[in-house]
Amino acid sequence: MTKPATDTNAARADLLEKVTGRAVYASDISVPGMAHGRILRSAVPHARIARLDDAAASALDGVVSVLTGEDLPTLAHDRWGLFLNDRPVIAGEKVRYVGEPLALVVAETPEIAEAALDLIDVDYEHLPFVDDATAALAPDAPLLHERHESIADFYFKGQAKPVDGTNIFQNYGVSTGDVDAAERDAAHVFEQTYTFPGISHFAIEPHSVVAAFDGGRLTVWSGAQSPTAVQKVLSRVFGLALSDIRIIVPFVGGGFGGKASVKIEPLVVAAARKAGRPVRVALTLEESMLTCRRLGASITLRTSLDRDGKILAKRGTILLDGGAYADTGPAVAVKAAHCVIGPYDIANLEIEAKAVYTNTVPGAAFRSIGGPQAVWATESQMDEIAEAMSIDPVDLRHRNLLPRGGEILDSLRALDADIGEMLGQAGQAIASLGGGSAAGIAVAATDPGILPLGGSLVRVLADGSITVMSNSVDIGQGVRAVLRAVVAKTLNQDVGSIRVADPDTATAPFDWGTGASRSTVIMGLAVEDAAQDASDQILELAASIFDGAPNDLRLVPGGVARGEDVLSFEDLYHRAFGIDSGEVVGRAMVTPARKGSDFAKSPLFWETAVGTCDVELDEMTGELAVTRYVGVADIGHAINPAGAEGQEEGASVQGIGHALYEQLDYREGQPVNATPVAYRVPAAADVPQHAHTVLIENGDGPGPMGAKGMGEGGILPVAPAIGNALARRYGVRIRDLPMTPERIWRALRERDHDAS
Amino acid sequence: MLPRPFTYHRPTSLDEAVTLMARHVDDVSPYAGGTELLLAMKMHFADYEHLVDLKRISELRAVKRNGGTLSIGALATHAAIAADAAIQGSLPALAGLCGSIANARVRAAGTIGGNLCFAEPRADPPVLLAALDAQLCLISARGERHVAASQFITGALETVRAPDEILLRIDIPLTARSTRYERVVHGHRTVAGAAAVIAQDAHAAPRVWLGCVATHPVALPNAEAHVAANPGVLDNALTQAIASDIARLDIADDEDASADYRRHLATTVAIRAITATVEQEERA
Amino acid sequence: MSSIHEITLMLNGDPVEAAVAAHTLLVDFLRDSHALRGVKRSCDMQVCGACTVLVDGRPVSSCTMLAVDADGASVVTIEGLGGPDGLDPVQEAFLEHGALQCGFCTPGFILATKALLATNPSPSREEIVHHLSGNICRCTGYQKIIEAVESLAR
Ligand SMILES: Cc1cc2nc3c(=O)[nH]c(=O)nc-3n(C[C@H](O)[C@H](O)[C@H](O)COP(=O)(O)OP(=O)(O)OC[C@H]3O[C@@H](n4cnc5c(N)ncnc54)[C@H](O)[C@@H]3O)c2cc1C
Ligand code: FES
Ligand code: FES
């Protein structure tokens, strides 16, 4: 049966809204009586606020109110966090980074609010600052936070391990076997240090929030990836019942983790409360760059091998630059520690990951948290080892790769992909793009930190249209299309009849959040279960009417059938309920104990990736171009193939940005390029002319139809694959990202100097 | 990121514009494409009581060829220059440059006059125009005057333009046989740009200019002398001549490049520009 | 205080008269006074293209253009493309090729493409890449955008 044209259009309903400009994003929300907020930000990296005078600003015509640290005592809790209770709703006694919100002016127009900012006077009492993670570890380093208050099982399972009297807010270790002994026996020991900078999310829609109180009830529109986390934090900060807080998430103009957990919502809600008016705060992109970033890292690896190139032991020391507030940094450290092992069979491991505070923009989750940092180190080193031992890099990997079912750590789920096979596919695919074999390659496996907790409702309405309610957020990854496909399949209905409502905590059940590639799996299952529940109920109803067993019945588009007899939903409800109205509500909550799922061990699935590429270098200027790129991902099943491919392509180009251009740069505590002009992200001209994505589908994932989560892994191998290609083709090894033209030029000079 | 209030004037004739500039000379700015000016005003780096919009004075946009001179109105946009058949024919290097700088939106709005008058240290056209020995025509209530493009920009964001002066047009003598502009761009900024111009008249000196490196475009006299003495020769001595010119420049580390790398890039683009003109000569 | 100016323009094909303060930016005029929310604001510095609109057919950054400058011009936003029952071919191509994810950059890319095709109906891949390199998309990796535009080249 060919689908009518309208069906296809309906299937891509959200895309249709987006190409016509009708899609509503958080920054498009406007509510009656709304006032506009603008934020005054700290100009200094670390200081006590000696005086903050907002009298002139408050007196300006059109200014409604000014929120400052003086308002903190009016809050039920003046600080919040997800692992550590470290972040004041607005700077109180001191500021900890350039860009930290100091005051929020609410006015009738954005223009008045902006003018009022100039009228606020701040006197800083400067404190020594530290803008570098290594320096933050020094015994006499200035302390950003005098005390650490770690909170267990708040939104993440477990707890961070800060060290009192230091800037260390997370300390995580992995230890297996006997590394000392293995090193003694080893034929070769390699030790290298690799660095990875802080990187801006640069989601094209800046953070934007509208907050409105109606009596004691609060509604917040935000481009938040984790609406229920926002709801929970707001309930603490403002002492409100969860049921009195409604978080609505319209379309989100890109997230990548930068809108995960909680960001500016508590600040905007505090301003709305003080103003007694709905308040809108729409950041500029520049302000978003001062709101969060990926954690920078310095990673030292000491890897021991036997004569045949079999890895005997690995020692890893990871230092993460977490910025001024921990946010989800503690989880980043855990992930980096796991990811730095690589998908290799290594019996002896000693990995230590520390995350520290510095006087810089707070770190946060970013696509495959902690992964790119770790894989940059691990996969660069694999090639350095291969070169030193005169082994082909692909061969060295084959000698050490874990097979499907092998264990990276016994505390983690066994590997559910065949990376050796992926390597082979990558090699073939890149050769088929022309230009010979690849120059650089990298592999990766990462364990998405996914909490299997999320619910949904599937409502089958009388006219056969279906509403899906869930708190999974469309951040561009196309989750709505995936959910629609799952419901369509489970209920055997036309995709065109299914609508996925905006995430709304007032109507949709709890969901842990959109990130870590989890929506497809967890929300996919929740929606599948809810649809199944609806199906069971419908068949039950129909059985009583057809006077048969539910087993004889089946769902058909628009209704239920027994043999050739079809009953529309409307007729079914009419007969069952007495009027031709009503609905069937399917419900489901996926929990760690879900029947039929094995959620006991983490991760729920591995996200695996292979990247391979070729590069071209202008040896005079140091400018490097990626000419060919192939990414391979094992995604179990592509529920939405075009979407899956797009995710991988987007991830690889972000990876090119990470590899070649991106770095949030600091001098003397001041960000020097935290503006959209100075900070370079990839443009169309930076995309490889020949690129290809291979999706491996074995239907062996835990999600609906055997899908695994995806969308994050693709970024992992990019930088090391490029670095390895550069080394192979041009004989220069860069260990510090990004591989800027200047760094490459310096390395070339050294190479030529050494040669002469 | 919102500009502060101001009074907007939209003259439709040059006379009217000159009068407005004179009347408000204490706090006025000419306003062309606004791609620099409005951005500076949005960021509150600049603030004016009066803006005089020049865009509705059609004569300021004209591109004309008078015998051996190409006249480009100050209000000609980058896009218009790139697409102009007369410029493509007589000065492909300029048309090509204007078609490649910035992005399509900035090219559509931004003008060549605005580029010159803003005197951004990383601007490209001033380098090429200096090498081409272009003459700039300025007007005020005091009358017209002419300034060589090579003398116009005196420092970062500094020119010899008086506050009430309007840049009318750019006159470029079409005396070059080979012209080339070479640059290295990282992200949105040119980190080094060099122009080389070989005149039709064998006795006229070649011109080699460098920009986007120091605060404003500069000539490379040793390079020029070397090319004059050894036409068509690309040797180590040329590289050394260029390097000796660049060594004399005051170049500081900045967020785009360390000084030594920038010197290297400057040398590289100068060599590339000269090499390209030599190749053009050979082909001719 | 800014001077106030009466302007008339064609906005998505309809005549519009308005009084605007001199310092009003076109993006705010379109979004706030005319509820054209398909005009997006992101970088506010002319580098991302999210705010792209067509003024007399040329692509401009509405974040850095004065509303008063639109006086006498024809302004087209994403809302002005296609009809009530049909999509513009460029919109159709973006849909067809999956050339969008979050969609925040999409109106700008579509209008930039309109401007390109108006002056160059059969652009090469290189010309497409050059023309679109002033628009930033952080999601798609551009490949499908380039393919969508290539499919429109005659
Ligand atoms: C994203 C971006 C990328 C860019 N990339 C490049 C690049 O690669 N290379 C490069 O060279 N440039 C680049 N530019 C700069 C661009 O070329 C200029 O912004 C543009 O040419 C300025 O012209 P305008 O008409 O917009 O000037 P305006 O902004 O209107 O004016 C600029 C200044 O010149 C004055 N002015 C303008 N016209 C006149 C006149 N006729 N008489 C007297 N004074 C006048 C104004 O008062 C103001 O002070 C870039 C700009 C942006 C925003
Ligand atoms: S918002 Fe105007 S170009 Fe980015
Ligand atoms: S689709 Fe998200 S920025 Fe382009």
Short mmCIF file of all heavy atoms in Angstrom, two decimals, chain A residues 38 110-111 114 118 284 286 618 620-623 667 672 676-678 680 741-742 745-746 749, chain B residues 1-5 42 44 184-189 254-258 260-261 264-265 268 272:
data_model
loop_
_atom_site.label_atom_id
_atom_site.label_comp_id
_atom_site.label_asym_id
_atom_site.label_seq_id
_atom_site.Cartn_x
_atom_site.Cartn_y
_atom_site.Cartn_z
N ARG A 38 17.79 41.59 31.69
CA ARG A 38 19.16 41.59 31.16
C ARG A 38 20.11 41.40 32.34
O ARG A 38 19.85 41.90 33.43
CB ARG A 38 19.50 42.90 30.46
CG ARG A 38 18.95 43.02 29.07
CD ARG A 38 19.83 42.29 28.06
NE ARG A 38 19.60 42.74 26.70
CZ ARG A 38 18.64 42.33 25.90
NH1 ARG A 38 17.77 41.43 26.31
NH2 ARG A 38 18.53 42.80 24.67
N PRO A 110 13.51 45.37 26.60
CA PRO A 110 14.91 44.93 26.65
C PRO A 110 15.84 46.14 26.62
O PRO A 110 16.90 46.14 27.25
CB PRO A 110 15.08 44.11 25.37
CG PRO A 110 13.71 43.71 24.96
CD PRO A 110 12.79 44.76 25.47
N GLU A 111 15.44 47.16 25.89
CA GLU A 111 16.29 48.33 25.75
C GLU A 111 16.49 49.05 27.08
O GLU A 111 17.61 49.45 27.42
CB GLU A 111 15.61 49.24 24.73
CG GLU A 111 16.50 50.32 24.23
CD GLU A 111 15.72 51.26 23.32
OE1 GLU A 111 14.70 50.83 22.74
OE2 GLU A 111 16.14 52.42 23.22
N GLU A 114 18.72 47.02 29.25
CA GLU A 114 20.11 47.13 28.84
C GLU A 114 20.71 48.46 29.28
O GLU A 114 21.85 48.53 29.76
CB GLU A 114 20.20 46.97 27.32
CG GLU A 114 21.58 46.61 26.85
CD GLU A 114 21.60 46.19 25.38
OE1 GLU A 114 20.92 45.20 25.04
OE2 GLU A 114 22.28 46.85 24.60
N ASP A 118 24.11 49.75 32.60
CA ASP A 118 25.21 50.71 32.65
C ASP A 118 25.18 51.55 33.93
O ASP A 118 26.16 52.19 34.28
CB ASP A 118 25.13 51.67 31.45
CG ASP A 118 25.36 50.94 30.14
OD1 ASP A 118 25.81 49.78 30.20
OD2 ASP A 118 25.08 51.52 29.08
N THR A 284 22.21 36.40 24.78
CA THR A 284 22.87 36.47 23.48
C THR A 284 23.75 35.23 23.38
O THR A 284 24.05 34.58 24.38
CB THR A 284 23.75 37.71 23.35
OG1 THR A 284 24.80 37.61 24.32
CG2 THR A 284 22.96 38.98 23.60
N GLU A 286 26.79 35.19 22.87
CA GLU A 286 27.99 35.49 23.65
C GLU A 286 27.76 35.15 25.13
O GLU A 286 28.62 34.57 25.79
CB GLU A 286 28.31 36.97 23.48
CG GLU A 286 29.61 37.39 24.08
CD GLU A 286 29.94 38.84 23.72
OE1 GLU A 286 29.11 39.52 23.10
OE2 GLU A 286 31.05 39.27 24.08
N ASP A 618 48.61 22.53 4.09
CA ASP A 618 49.40 23.58 3.45
C ASP A 618 50.63 23.75 4.34
O ASP A 618 50.54 24.34 5.42
CB ASP A 618 48.58 24.87 3.36
CG ASP A 618 49.35 26.02 2.74
OD1 ASP A 618 50.60 25.99 2.76
OD2 ASP A 618 48.71 26.96 2.23
N MET A 620 53.15 25.54 4.18
CA MET A 620 53.64 26.89 4.42
C MET A 620 52.88 27.57 5.56
O MET A 620 53.45 28.30 6.36
CB MET A 620 53.51 27.74 3.15
CG MET A 620 54.51 27.40 2.06
SD MET A 620 56.22 27.48 2.65
CE MET A 620 56.41 29.27 2.81
N THR A 621 51.57 27.37 5.60
CA THR A 621 50.76 28.10 6.58
C THR A 621 50.32 27.24 7.76
O THR A 621 49.84 27.76 8.76
CB THR A 621 49.48 28.65 5.91
OG1 THR A 621 48.70 27.54 5.46
CG2 THR A 621 49.82 29.55 4.74
N GLY A 622 50.42 25.94 7.61
CA GLY A 622 49.96 25.05 8.68
C GLY A 622 48.47 24.79 8.64
O GLY A 622 47.92 24.16 9.54
N GLU A 623 47.79 25.24 7.59
CA GLU A 623 46.34 25.02 7.52
C GLU A 623 46.06 23.60 7.05
O GLU A 623 46.55 23.16 6.01
CB GLU A 623 45.71 26.01 6.55
CG GLU A 623 45.77 27.43 7.07
CD GLU A 623 45.43 28.45 5.99
OE1 GLU A 623 46.23 28.58 5.04
OE2 GLU A 623 44.38 29.07 6.09
N ARG A 667 43.26 34.27 29.14
CA ARG A 667 44.52 34.90 29.55
C ARG A 667 44.23 35.71 30.79
O ARG A 667 43.33 36.54 30.79
CB ARG A 667 45.06 35.85 28.47
CG ARG A 667 45.19 35.21 27.15
CD ARG A 667 46.55 35.19 26.49
NE ARG A 667 46.43 34.24 25.40
CZ ARG A 667 46.31 34.57 24.11
NH1 ARG A 667 46.46 35.80 23.74
NH2 ARG A 667 46.11 33.65 23.20
N VAL A 672 39.33 35.23 26.20
CA VAL A 672 39.77 36.13 25.13
C VAL A 672 38.99 35.92 23.83
O VAL A 672 39.00 36.77 22.96
CB VAL A 672 41.28 36.00 24.83
CG1 VAL A 672 42.11 36.47 25.99
CG2 VAL A 672 41.67 34.58 24.45
N PRO A 676 30.99 35.13 19.39
CA PRO A 676 30.73 34.38 18.16
C PRO A 676 31.67 34.77 17.02
O PRO A 676 31.86 33.99 16.09
CB PRO A 676 29.28 34.76 17.81
CG PRO A 676 28.69 35.29 19.06
CD PRO A 676 29.81 35.88 19.85
N VAL A 677 32.25 35.95 17.08
CA VAL A 677 33.16 36.37 16.01
C VAL A 677 34.54 35.75 16.22
O VAL A 677 35.15 35.22 15.29
CB VAL A 677 33.27 37.90 15.95
CG1 VAL A 677 34.31 38.31 14.92
CG2 VAL A 677 31.93 38.52 15.60
N ALA A 678 35.01 35.79 17.45
CA ALA A 678 36.38 35.34 17.70
C ALA A 678 36.48 33.82 17.80
O ALA A 678 37.53 33.25 17.56
CB ALA A 678 36.92 35.99 18.97
N ARG A 680 35.80 30.19 16.57
CA ARG A 680 35.52 29.62 15.26
C ARG A 680 34.89 28.25 15.37
O ARG A 680 35.47 27.34 15.96
CB ARG A 680 36.81 29.53 14.46
CG ARG A 680 36.62 28.91 13.09
CD ARG A 680 37.92 28.92 12.31
NE ARG A 680 37.74 28.32 11.00
CZ ARG A 680 38.74 28.03 10.18
NH1 ARG A 680 39.98 28.29 10.55
NH2 ARG A 680 38.50 27.48 9.01
N PRO A 741 46.53 26.01 12.90
CA PRO A 741 47.60 26.19 11.92
C PRO A 741 48.92 26.57 12.59
O PRO A 741 49.98 26.08 12.21
CB PRO A 741 47.09 27.31 11.02
CG PRO A 741 45.60 27.23 11.13
CD PRO A 741 45.32 26.77 12.53
N GLU A 742 48.83 27.41 13.60
CA GLU A 742 50.08 27.84 14.25
C GLU A 742 50.77 26.67 14.95
O GLU A 742 51.98 26.50 14.86
CB GLU A 742 49.81 28.97 15.24
CG GLU A 742 51.09 29.43 15.93
CD GLU A 742 50.95 30.72 16.71
OE1 GLU A 742 49.99 31.48 16.44
OE2 GLU A 742 51.80 30.98 17.57
N TRP A 745 52.26 24.52 12.32
CA TRP A 745 53.44 25.18 11.73
C TRP A 745 54.65 25.02 12.65
O TRP A 745 55.75 24.71 12.21
CB TRP A 745 53.11 26.67 11.51
CG TRP A 745 54.29 27.49 11.14
CD1 TRP A 745 54.95 27.49 9.94
CD2 TRP A 745 54.97 28.44 11.98
NE1 TRP A 745 55.98 28.39 9.98
CE2 TRP A 745 56.03 28.98 11.21
CE3 TRP A 745 54.79 28.90 13.28
CZ2 TRP A 745 56.91 29.95 11.72
CZ3 TRP A 745 55.65 29.86 13.79
CH2 TRP A 745 56.69 30.37 13.02
N ARG A 746 54.42 25.17 13.95
CA ARG A 746 55.54 25.00 14.89
C ARG A 746 56.07 23.56 14.86
O ARG A 746 57.27 23.32 14.88
CB ARG A 746 55.09 25.33 16.32
CG ARG A 746 55.06 26.79 16.58
CD ARG A 746 54.87 27.20 18.02
NE ARG A 746 54.35 28.56 18.00
CZ ARG A 746 55.08 29.61 17.63
NH1 ARG A 746 56.36 29.48 17.34
NH2 ARG A 746 54.54 30.80 17.56
N ARG A 749 58.13 23.06 11.84
CA ARG A 749 59.46 23.66 11.99
C ARG A 749 60.37 22.73 12.79
O ARG A 749 61.53 22.55 12.49
CB ARG A 749 59.36 25.01 12.68
CG ARG A 749 59.15 26.13 11.69
CD ARG A 749 59.68 27.43 12.21
NE ARG A 749 59.36 27.61 13.63
CZ ARG A 749 59.58 28.73 14.29
NH1 ARG A 749 60.11 29.76 13.68
NH2 ARG A 749 59.27 28.83 15.56
N MET B 1 23.15 44.65 23.47
CA MET B 1 23.33 44.55 22.02
C MET B 1 22.28 45.35 21.26
O MET B 1 21.83 44.93 20.20
CB MET B 1 23.31 43.08 21.59
CG MET B 1 24.53 42.31 22.00
SD MET B 1 26.07 42.95 21.29
CE MET B 1 25.99 42.31 19.61
N LEU B 2 21.85 46.47 21.84
CA LEU B 2 20.95 47.36 21.11
C LEU B 2 21.62 48.71 21.01
O LEU B 2 22.22 49.18 21.98
CB LEU B 2 19.62 47.48 21.86
CG LEU B 2 18.82 46.19 22.01
CD1 LEU B 2 17.68 46.36 22.99
CD2 LEU B 2 18.29 45.73 20.65
N PRO B 3 21.53 49.35 19.84
CA PRO B 3 22.16 50.66 19.74
C PRO B 3 21.42 51.68 20.60
O PRO B 3 20.23 51.54 20.84
CB PRO B 3 22.03 51.00 18.25
CG PRO B 3 21.03 50.07 17.68
CD PRO B 3 20.86 48.92 18.62
N ARG B 4 22.15 52.66 21.07
CA ARG B 4 21.49 53.72 21.83
C ARG B 4 20.80 54.66 20.84
O ARG B 4 21.14 54.70 19.67
CB ARG B 4 22.54 54.47 22.64
CG ARG B 4 23.24 53.57 23.64
CD ARG B 4 23.69 54.38 24.85
NE ARG B 4 24.31 53.50 25.84
CZ ARG B 4 25.63 53.32 25.94
NH1 ARG B 4 26.48 53.95 25.13
NH2 ARG B 4 26.11 52.52 26.87
N PRO B 5 19.82 55.41 21.33
CA PRO B 5 19.07 56.30 20.44
C PRO B 5 19.96 57.33 19.73
O PRO B 5 21.01 57.71 20.25
CB PRO B 5 18.09 56.99 21.38
CG PRO B 5 17.96 56.07 22.54
CD PRO B 5 19.29 55.41 22.70
N LYS B 42 25.94 48.78 18.63
CA LYS B 42 25.23 47.77 19.42
C LYS B 42 26.06 47.36 20.63
O LYS B 42 25.53 47.07 21.70
CB LYS B 42 24.95 46.52 18.55
CG LYS B 42 23.72 46.67 17.68
CD LYS B 42 23.61 45.59 16.63
CE LYS B 42 23.55 44.20 17.23
NZ LYS B 42 23.03 43.20 16.26
N HIS B 44 28.07 49.20 22.09
CA HIS B 44 28.33 50.42 22.85
C HIS B 44 29.80 50.81 22.84
O HIS B 44 30.29 51.44 23.77
CB HIS B 44 27.78 50.31 24.29
CG HIS B 44 26.32 50.01 24.35
ND1 HIS B 44 25.62 49.84 25.51
CD2 HIS B 44 25.40 49.83 23.36
CE1 HIS B 44 24.34 49.56 25.25
NE2 HIS B 44 24.20 49.54 23.94
N VAL B 184 45.80 34.95 4.09
CA VAL B 184 45.51 33.77 4.90
C VAL B 184 44.43 34.19 5.89
O VAL B 184 44.58 35.19 6.59
CB VAL B 184 46.76 33.28 5.66
CG1 VAL B 184 46.40 32.17 6.63
CG2 VAL B 184 47.81 32.79 4.67
N VAL B 185 43.35 33.42 5.89
CA VAL B 185 42.21 33.74 6.75
C VAL B 185 42.02 32.63 7.76
O VAL B 185 41.98 31.45 7.38
CB VAL B 185 40.92 33.89 5.92
CG1 VAL B 185 39.76 34.34 6.81
CG2 VAL B 185 41.11 34.86 4.79
N HIS B 186 41.94 32.98 9.01
CA HIS B 186 41.59 31.99 10.03
C HIS B 186 40.27 32.41 10.64
O HIS B 186 40.19 33.46 11.26
CB HIS B 186 42.67 31.90 11.12
CG HIS B 186 43.97 31.33 10.61
ND1 HIS B 186 45.13 31.40 11.32
CD2 HIS B 186 44.25 30.68 9.46
CE1 HIS B 186 46.09 30.81 10.63
NE2 HIS B 186 45.59 30.37 9.49
N GLY B 187 39.25 31.60 10.44
CA GLY B 187 37.94 31.97 10.95
C GLY B 187 37.43 33.20 10.23
O GLY B 187 37.38 33.23 9.01
N HIS B 188 37.05 34.22 10.99
CA HIS B 188 36.50 35.41 10.36
C HIS B 188 37.56 36.46 10.07
O HIS B 188 37.24 37.56 9.63
CB HIS B 188 35.42 36.01 11.25
CG HIS B 188 34.28 35.07 11.52
ND1 HIS B 188 33.41 34.70 10.53
CD2 HIS B 188 33.91 34.40 12.62
CE1 HIS B 188 32.53 33.84 11.03
NE2 HIS B 188 32.81 33.64 12.30
N ARG B 189 38.80 36.18 10.39
CA ARG B 189 39.79 37.25 10.27
C ARG B 189 40.96 36.90 9.37
O ARG B 189 41.48 35.79 9.40
CB ARG B 189 40.33 37.61 11.66
CG ARG B 189 39.39 38.56 12.38
CD ARG B 189 40.05 39.11 13.59
NE ARG B 189 40.08 38.11 14.64
CZ ARG B 189 39.54 38.27 15.83
NH1 ARG B 189 38.96 39.40 16.14
NH2 ARG B 189 39.60 37.33 16.74
N ASP B 254 48.92 38.29 19.29
CA ASP B 254 47.53 38.54 19.65
C ASP B 254 46.77 37.22 19.63
O ASP B 254 47.37 36.16 19.44
CB ASP B 254 46.89 39.61 18.76
CG ASP B 254 46.69 39.16 17.32
OD1 ASP B 254 46.79 37.95 17.06
OD2 ASP B 254 46.44 40.03 16.46
N GLU B 255 45.44 37.29 19.84
CA GLU B 255 44.70 36.04 20.01
C GLU B 255 44.63 35.24 18.70
O GLU B 255 44.31 34.06 18.72
CB GLU B 255 43.31 36.29 20.59
CG GLU B 255 42.38 37.12 19.74
CD GLU B 255 42.43 38.60 20.11
OE1 GLU B 255 43.51 39.07 20.57
OE2 GLU B 255 41.41 39.29 19.92
N ASP B 256 44.94 35.88 17.57
CA ASP B 256 44.91 35.14 16.31
C ASP B 256 46.23 34.45 15.99
O ASP B 256 46.24 33.43 15.32
CB ASP B 256 44.56 36.07 15.15
CG ASP B 256 43.14 36.57 15.25
OD1 ASP B 256 42.29 35.81 15.77
OD2 ASP B 256 42.88 37.71 14.84
N ALA B 257 47.32 35.05 16.42
CA ALA B 257 48.61 34.50 16.03
C ALA B 257 49.71 35.08 16.91
O ALA B 257 49.65 36.24 17.31
CB ALA B 257 48.91 34.83 14.57
N SER B 258 50.71 34.27 17.18
CA SER B 258 51.91 34.79 17.83
C SER B 258 52.69 35.59 16.80
O SER B 258 52.54 35.38 15.59
CB SER B 258 52.79 33.65 18.33
OG SER B 258 52.05 32.80 19.15
N ASP B 260 55.81 35.62 15.83
CA ASP B 260 56.72 34.95 14.89
C ASP B 260 55.95 34.22 13.78
O ASP B 260 56.34 34.22 12.62
CB ASP B 260 57.69 34.01 15.61
CG ASP B 260 57.00 32.89 16.37
OD1 ASP B 260 55.78 33.02 16.66
OD2 ASP B 260 57.67 31.88 16.68
N TYR B 261 54.83 33.63 14.17
CA TYR B 261 54.02 32.94 13.18
C TYR B 261 53.43 33.96 12.18
O TYR B 261 53.40 33.74 10.98
CB TYR B 261 52.91 32.17 13.89
CG TYR B 261 51.93 31.46 12.97
CD1 TYR B 261 52.37 30.57 12.00
CD2 TYR B 261 50.56 31.68 13.10
CE1 TYR B 261 51.47 29.91 11.17
CE2 TYR B 261 49.65 31.02 12.29
CZ TYR B 261 50.11 30.14 11.32
OH TYR B 261 49.22 29.49 10.50
N HIS B 264 55.94 34.96 9.74
CA HIS B 264 56.10 33.90 8.75
C HIS B 264 54.97 33.95 7.73
O HIS B 264 55.20 33.85 6.52
CB HIS B 264 56.14 32.54 9.45
CG HIS B 264 55.97 31.39 8.51
ND1 HIS B 264 56.98 30.95 7.68
CD2 HIS B 264 54.89 30.63 8.20
CE1 HIS B 264 56.53 29.96 6.93
NE2 HIS B 264 55.27 29.73 7.23
N LEU B 265 53.73 34.11 8.21
CA LEU B 265 52.60 34.18 7.28
C LEU B 265 52.71 35.40 6.38
O LEU B 265 52.38 35.34 5.19
CB LEU B 265 51.28 34.23 8.05
CG LEU B 265 50.85 32.96 8.77
CD1 LEU B 265 49.48 33.17 9.43
CD2 LEU B 265 50.78 31.77 7.81
N THR B 268 55.02 34.64 3.76
CA THR B 268 54.41 33.66 2.85
C THR B 268 53.44 34.33 1.87
O THR B 268 53.50 34.08 0.66
CB THR B 268 53.67 32.58 3.66
OG1 THR B 268 54.59 31.97 4.55
CG2 THR B 268 53.05 31.53 2.76
N ARG B 272 53.76 34.66 -2.14
CA ARG B 272 52.70 34.12 -3.00
C ARG B 272 52.15 35.19 -3.94
O ARG B 272 51.87 34.91 -5.11
CB ARG B 272 51.58 33.52 -2.15
CG ARG B 272 51.98 32.19 -1.55
CD ARG B 272 50.88 31.56 -0.72
NE ARG B 272 51.32 30.24 -0.26
CZ ARG B 272 50.63 29.45 0.54
NH1 ARG B 272 49.45 29.84 1.00
NH2 ARG B 272 51.10 28.27 0.89
#
